[in-house]
Amino acid sequence: MNCRFCGAEVEEGAKFCQKCGKNLEEVSDKKNCPKCGSELEKDAKFCLKCGYSMEKKAAGNGKKKLIIGIVALIAVICIGGGIGVVVHQKAVEKERYEQELAAERERQEAERARQELINAYGAKAMELNNAINGTENNFNLLSSMYDTSTGINTGLLGPDFFTDYVEGLCSSEINTEKDRKREIDKIYTELQDIGCDEEEVKELKKAMEDYYYAYCERYSFLVEGDFSVNNFKAKEETSKKILQIKRL
């Protein structure tokens, strides 16, 4: 700071001027010219000795304050802008993260649904497989009975006598297979309705279709009596062989 009496530069907080020795804390109605140190009236606008303008100093101080204010305002704007950029970047990153998270959840849900479909198809295919396997004993019984009857079906009794006799003798087994056929058809329809075309079940799907149609052919042969005495041996060998080949 400057001495208000002589204008000399003194240390901040000093009580006396090192140049003129005056008490800086002394209250006075006078002031000193900051340029030449001459004593002036407190409200003087010009120094009578050197002509220094007190208003120039005030203007200088005002200009300095204005510059400081502008610099401060620019600093605030820059800081605010920087904070805004950071906040915006954080918002963009958060939105991107939430989108990626949602996409991952959607992918996981789709994969879970896909696996559930595959599992459902596999379970229903196993149910169909077991149902068809359950026909084996009755089919073997009917086959043996028909084979015996056609072997002795000669003479005056006619070609259909013994096959008709077998149908009456095995009526219970035949009715059982008719009921079982309805259940197998129902399971096969439910399997088709699942509509699973995933790569993991393509081979199983083809195998189940082949097995079902092989079963239908042997069912038609033995239960519906789709044979004659003359072609029984050939049809029996063919239908039995196909079902064994397609069996899972």
Side-chain angles (χ1 to χ4, degrees):
M1 68 178 186
N2 296 90
C3 174
R4 59 189 176 85
F5 297 105
C6 67
E9 186 175 347
V10 295
E11 294 181 1
E12 189 71 30
K15 296 183 179 181
F16 295 92
C17 177
Q18 296 176 349
K19 184 176 181 181
C20 67
K22 290 192 176 183
N23 185 355
L24 299 177
E25 295 180 341
E26 180 180 342
V27 179
S28 173
D29 291 336
K30 303 289 186 179
K31 65 181 180 180
N32 293 86
C33 175
K35 185 175 181 181
C36 66
S38 300
E39 190 177 71
L40 304 172
E41 295 296 329
K42 193 170 184 178
D43 57 354
K45 295 182 179 181
F46 296 93
C47 176
L48 298 176
K49 184 176 181 181
C50 67
Y52 181 78
S53 174
M54 301 299 162
E55 292 181 344
K56 180 179 179 181
K57 179 180 179 182
N61 290 339
K63 184 177 181 181
K64 183 177 180 181
K65 291 180 181 179
L66 178 61
I67 292 173
I68 293 173
I70 293 174
V71 171
L73 179 60
I74 293 174
V76 169
I77 293 173
C78 291
I79 293 172
I83 293 174
V85 170
V86 171
V87 170
H88 176 70
Q89 185 63 30
K90 290 291 185 182
V92 170
E93 291 176 358
K94 181 180 179 182
E95 183 178 0
R96 185 185 301 116
Y97 171 76
E98 289 176 348
Q99 289 175 347
E100 292 175 353
L101 187 61
E104 178 61 20
R105 287 175 179 169
E106 185 176 345
R107 187 196 67 78
Q108 291 178 356
E109 184 60 32
E111 178 61 22
R112 183 162 43 251
R114 192 180 76 87
Q115 287 299 327
E116 288 177 356
L117 184 65
I118 292 172
N119 294 340
Y121 190 91
K124 185 59 67 174
M126 183 58 66
E127 184 181 352
L128 178 62
N129 178 75
N130 293 339
I132 295 176
N133 288 347
T135 66
E136 183 177 9
N137 290 336
N138 269 0
F139 279 176
N140 288 342
L141 173 62
L142 290 172
S143 177
S144 298
M145 295 292 289
Y146 283 131
D147 185 40
T148 302
S149 72
T150 56
I152 62 175
N153 198 342
T154 58
L156 299 176
L157 296 177
D160 297 326
F161 177 81
F162 285 101
T163 54
D164 291 342
Y165 174 74
V166 170
E167 288 178 0
L169 187 65
C170 300
S171 61
S172 176
E173 287 77 7
I174 290 174
N175 288 332
T176 296
E177 289 309 319
K178 287 181 177 179
D179 291 339
R180 190 164 5 214
K181 175 68 161 55
R182 284 190 287 270
E183 180 62 22
I184 288 174
D185 287 344
K186 177 176 176 291
I187 296 172
Y188 183 74
T189 300
E190 291 172 349
L191 182 66
Q192 297 298 98
D193 289 344
I194 292 177
C196 182
D197 294 322
E198 298 295 334
E199 191 68 30
E200 289 90 330
V201 303
K202 280 188 175 180
E203 292 185 5
L204 177 61
K205 187 174 184 178
K206 179 65 169 58
M208 291 311 305
E209 289 176 352
D210 291 345
Y211 194 35
Y212 172 74
Y213 287 116
Y215 154 77
C216 289
E217 184 173 340
R218 189 150 177 80
Y219 172 88
S220 177
F221 169 68
L222 292 173
V223 179
E224 301 294 339
D226 184 20
F227 66 90
S228 67
V229 171
N230 293 330
N231 68 16
F232 176 82
K233 290 289 186 182
K235 280 200 169 188
E236 161 65 5
E237 184 178 348
T238 300
S239 67
K240 186 174 183 179
K241 188 175 182 179
I242 291 175
L243 189 62
Q244 287 175 342
I245 291 174
K246 303 301 182 182
R247 184 171 183 172
L248 301 184

